[in-house]
Structures are given as structure tokens and as C-alpha cells.
Amino acid sequence: MSTYQLDARRLLCPMPVIKVQNRASELNTGDILEVVCTDPGAVNDVPAWCRINGHEVISAGQEGDEVKIILQIGETDE
Amino acid sequence: MPNQKHKAVSLISGGLDSLLATKVVMEQGIHVEGINFFTGFCVEGHTHAIRKRDQDKPKRNNALWVAEQLGIKLHIIDVIDEYKDVLINPKHGYGANLNPCLDCKTFMVSKALQWLEEHEFDFIITGEVIGQRPMSQRKDTMPVVARDSGAGDRLLRPLCAQNLPATLPEREGWVKREGLYGFSGRSRKPQMALAAEFGFEEYAQPAGGCCFLTDKNYSDKLVDMWQHHSSRDYELDDIMLLKVGRHIRPRDNFKMIIGREEGENKFMEGYRKEFISLFCSSHSGPLVLIDGDVSDEDLLLAASIAARFGQGRTAESVVMEINYPDGQSKPVAVAPIAPANIDEAWYV
Ligand code: SF4
């Protein structure tokens, strides 16, 4: 189990979700991904994407002008 | 018997039709996953994210929301680069604005087919309804999408399937034809009734279409950009900037993008390393980006126009800061241009 970072700043939705999705597909079950975004919509969209794709949202919130989301990779199909 | 083994991929736009089409097939016991394509022109989220005054509206991505309502996975695919050819060279031309709907639908179904083959799924679902849209959803164009995409009879449109020849999943008995629908025409009533039957109370109702290309103002800006750039090729940033600000082209060689409110100004700040930008230091006013190659004389004209959009519009003189992408800046004192001297034709 490892922790990874993803910088999705300056991207507008759905690009942060696409970045998270593509990165998550390379990780293993239990890995942690810390994502930082500037689009305020990401605070809703990234957790929604996690819920429907079986990943766990550990925290999601606004920190100043940035949105920080920490998620844990769930069971992977591949 | 419903067959759990068969799998379908459904094109999820975030609107009601794809929500219902997917649900209809899920009801028959098929495993469905959603797919959504991001072309760069999708109305989704962006404008809400940029414009401050829209920020109290819920900023949800409708495709994700639909997938969550259905309890299915959603795969969002970035097709920005591949989509350029669809938009620049549409075989079947454009709709009322720069929307190449027929080529766009064909492209999306062909991408879904590629995904289906890679993931060993069996068929594709779309929420299309015969007669719903003037270009891509006519009785004579629906076979074109199936044929040109390569999907053929693996493309199922559950909402109007009873008006079309039986597809592979129907012939093979994976789905029962009698459990599908025969909707046609522009009326939304049958869809609303079906939504009520399934207990969907809230859903997005996109008016013109699912993207900015159906919007006249947006299309005008895109045409202007193509006329003034050396090629019709574009980057995501180019098409994003067409969604923000007031666009004014006082001269052939440059265009001004003038922020209309705080959210847009903030978004445009991110482009100050790529464009010359102007802002008023003596009064408050918008951020302005200059797109094009400009002379000092052009910049003075731009500064006087920019001054007209700030609080100093009635002052005799205002100070505008000209900021260059390399970080240098230069203040200039200018008189705001008289309204009568702003040619209506400058507005893109
Ligand atoms: S409205 Fe836009 S996204 Fe929808 S089919 Fe037409 S061109 Fe494609």
C-alpha cells in the first residue's frame, strides 16, 4: 500500500475526474491517492466518481482556493 | 430469461434519455456500465466553475449523477484530440450552428465500440429517439450512425427500438423486444411518464443539445477564431477561452477578451503567462487578455477600450497596466474610448 499525489490544479471539470480515473486505474487496491484541484466542482465530482466506481473517499474539502481529496483505491477489476 | 452474462455499455450524456434507455436495459437483467466522452465543448460544469454568479447552483457533473442514480460505473473518456477532426471536417456537415451532430454521434458510437471490444462487452446502448433531433435522430440518419460507426446491429436504442429493425441483442434473446419502447417525435411526454414510472423525479433537461457547439454565440466566436488563426486546429485552452468574457475584435490582428465578473477575471488570470494582459490600476475594472500580435499603437487602442469597461469609464484619464507574458509591465495613461467610437461590428 503506497501513497500517491495527483496535481489537477487549473483543470476544469470533468478533467480532474478523468485524471483521477486514469491514475486510479494504474494503482492497486488499498493505495492512497491525494488529489489537489482548483475547480470547486471537483469537491462533488471526484467523490461521486469514487462512489460509483467502488473507491473510498477518506476526506474531501476546500482548503483556501484549493480542493483536496484523499481517496483509497477499492477492489480493481483488472 | 434475463441473462446476467451479457454486458452493455451505455452512452451517458447526463440527460433524461440516456438515463431511461440504460434503466430499461438494466431492468432486463443486463450488466450495464456507462461511458461519457469529453470533447472540450461539453456544457458540463465549466461555466459554473468559472462564473462566480453561477456558483450557488449545484456544481454537479450530470453524467456522474445519472450513473449514481442508476448504480452503474461510469468511464469518462477524454476525446479532445480525436474530436478535432470530427469538428473540422464533418462528412455530413453542421447543424444550425457549428454542431456536427451526425458525425459526432457516429464518432461516439465508434469509440464506444472500441471500448466494448477492449472490455469484451456485447452491445451498445444510446438514448436516441427517432425524430427527436433534426440532424442525428431522424429515421433516415439513425442507420447511418449504426453503419458508419461500425457498430451495426450491436447498437440498441431501447427508447425507440420497436420502430427499428431488431438488433443483435433482441434477435439473440439477450433482451426482450417487448420490454423496449417505440417512442418517436419531439414530444418529451413519453419520457417523462417513463421517468415517473421508474421513480426518477429529478433530471437534467438540456435544451438545445449537449454541447456549446449548438450555441450561436459560441459558434460565432469559434468561426472568428478560425478566420484569424493560421489553421483551424485548436488546443483545449483556445476553446475554453471562447466560453469566457466579452470578445471584441477592434482590428484584424487582435482580439480582446474582457472578463465580465470576478470569477471570469480569476479564471483568466491563469493565462497571463501566455497573453499580454491589461488591467486598470487607477480604478477597478476587468482583466483583459489580448489575443494576437499587437503594436504599441494597438495596445493604446486596447487600453482605451478596456478603460470603458471599468469604473473609470467616465474619468478623463485612467492608468492601465500593460503586462507582458515575460513578467514585465508598463503603465499607460489613456482616455476611455467614447461609446460612439466602439463599432458594434467589433463584438464577436
Ligand atoms: S449537440 Fe454536440 S455533443 Fe451532442 S451530438 Fe451534437 S455535436 Fe455532439
Side-chain angles (χ1 to χ4, degrees):
Chain A
M1 190 183 105
S2 317
T3 300
Y4 299 87
Q5 266 84 31
L6 178 69
D7 183 352
R9 284 178 289 198
R10 283 204 59 216
L11 298 175
L12 296 177
C13 275
M15 285 312 289
V17 180
I18 295 176
K19 293 271 178 205
V20 170
Q21 169 189 269
N22 296 352
R23 196 67 217 278
S25 71
E26 300 160 2
L27 304 181
N28 297 315
T29 304
D31 283 347
I32 302 285
L33 185 60
E34 299 178 351
V35 190
V36 48
C37 314
T38 43
D39 180 347
V43 79
N44 299 326
D45 292 351
V46 174
W49 179 84
C50 290
R51 286 193 299 273
I52 61 180
N53 289 288
H55 307 298
E56 192 186 343
V57 181
I58 294 172
S59 68
Q62 191 92 29
E63 288 178 15
D65 277 350
E66 295 182 346
V67 170
K68 195 163 179 192
I69 300 146
I70 302 178
L71 59 107
Q72 183 164 36
I73 305 297
E75 293 293 325
T76 46
D77 296 339
E78 272 80 10
Chain B
M1 273 295 286
N3 194 331
Q4 282 293 352
K5 283 197 311 262
H6 289 104
K7 297 192 273 189
V9 58
S10 181
L11 266 75
I12 302 287
S13 65
L16 178 59
D17 292 356
S18 52
L19 168 72
L20 293 174
T22 309
K23 182 72 178 169
V24 165
V25 172
M26 289 171 74
E27 288 287 295
Q28 299 213 22
I30 301 288
H31 170 87
V32 185
E33 293 188 18
I35 196 164
N36 173 266
F37 297 105
F38 180 56
T39 62
F41 297 98
C42 311
V43 175
E44 212 60 77
H46 289 115
T47 37
H48 293 179
I50 300 168
R51 296 191 72 167
K52 192 130 190 156
R53 66 154 201 231
D54 289 338
Q55 285 192 1
D56 10 329
K57 292 185 193 160
K59 285 175 287 291
R60 71 173 187 210
N61 174 302
N62 284 320
L64 282 168
W65 185 83
V66 160
E68 198 164 15
Q69 296 304 299
L70 291 164
I72 61 170
K73 287 191 175 183
L74 180 72
H75 310 278
I76 307 182
I77 319 275
D78 165 359
V79 291
I80 298 165
D81 280 335
E82 286 170 88
Y83 196 75
K84 290 179 189 174
D85 189 48
V86 178
L87 175 61
I88 296 173
N89 306 304
K91 210 166 114 190
H92 298 282
Y94 300 103
N97 292 297
L98 278 183
N99 47 313
C101 290
L102 189 48
D103 290 85
C104 175
K105 263 277 146 57
T106 304
F107 167 75
M108 289 186 182
V109 174
S110 74
K111 292 297 294 176
L113 178 68
Q114 189 185 333
W115 190 95
L116 168 150
E117 282 162 355
E118 285 164 12
H119 295 82
E120 299 183 351
F121 273 47
D122 303 297
F123 63 101
I124 301 166
I125 303 166
T126 68
E128 292 164 288
V129 168
I130 294 177
Q132 183 99 188
R133 294 265 163 81
M135 191 178 190
S136 57
Q137 301 190 27
R138 292 198 318 250
K139 189 141 192 159
D140 58 328
T141 56
M142 290 179 87
V144 175
V145 175
R147 185 193 65 215
D148 291 2
S149 64
D153 65 357
R154 279 196 283 174
L155 175 57
L156 176 69
R157 284 100 164 197
L159 300 185
C160 62
Q162 289 183 355
N163 301 326
L164 294 167
T167 57
L168 181 74
E170 295 161 89
R171 289 200 313 272
E172 293 291 324
W174 306 336
V175 297
K176 291 201 197 86
R177 189 168 167 91
E178 56 276 21
L180 306 174
Y181 292 83
F183 298 169
S184 68
R186 297 184 71 90
S187 166
R188 308 286 299 154
K189 286 205 182 113
Q191 281 95 322
M192 281 148 90
L194 188 57
E197 210 176 292
F198 284 136
F200 295 126
E201 282 162 11
E202 201 201 331
Y203 37 82
Q205 295 259 44
C210 24
C211 79
F212 269 102
L213 297 170
T214 58
D215 182 85
K216 168 139 185 13
N217 290 333
Y218 188 88
S219 297
D220 288 347
K221 288 180 194 158
L222 186 55
V223 168
D224 171 80
M225 184 182 93
W226 280 345
Q227 282 168 346
H228 294 90
H229 281 187
S230 51
S231 91
R232 296 215 290 166
D233 193 11
Y234 57 83
E235 296 303 324
L236 180 61
D237 280 338
D238 296 326
I239 60 176
M240 292 301 301
L241 279 170
L242 299 182
K243 297 177 188 173
V244 237
R246 220 177 243 115
H247 290 230
I248 294 184
R249 183 176 291 285
R251 296 284 179 267
D252 240 13
N253 56 317
F254 78 96
K255 176 176 82 168
M256 303 168 65
I257 306 173
I258 306 175
R260 288 171 296 191
E261 43 86 78
E262 202 189 323
E264 289 192 338
N265 289 337
K266 205 162 157 202
F267 175 74
M268 286 161 54
E269 288 270 340
Y271 291 92
R272 288 175 58 177
K273 289 207 171 80
E274 284 139 69
F275 295 90
I276 294 179
S277 59
L278 306 176
F279 80 90
C280 186
S281 54
S282 57
H283 299 76
S284 58
L287 181 69
V288 178
L289 299 178
I290 306 289
D291 179 17
D293 288 326
V294 282
S295 64
D296 286 349
E297 200 187 317
D298 291 333
L299 281 174
L300 286 177
L301 171 64
S304 72
I305 296 170
R308 175 55 49 192
F309 289 90
Q311 295 298 323
R313 64 177 68 90
T314 53
E316 285 208 345
S317 167
V318 303
V319 181
M320 300 295 299
E321 292 290 330
I322 302 176
N323 295 298
Y324 294 88
D326 63 4
Q328 294 198 42
S329 73
K330 183 170 88 178
V332 289
V334 290
I337 194 170
N341 292 338
I342 299 185
D343 190 337
E344 269 303 307
W346 292 354
Y347 283 89
V348 179

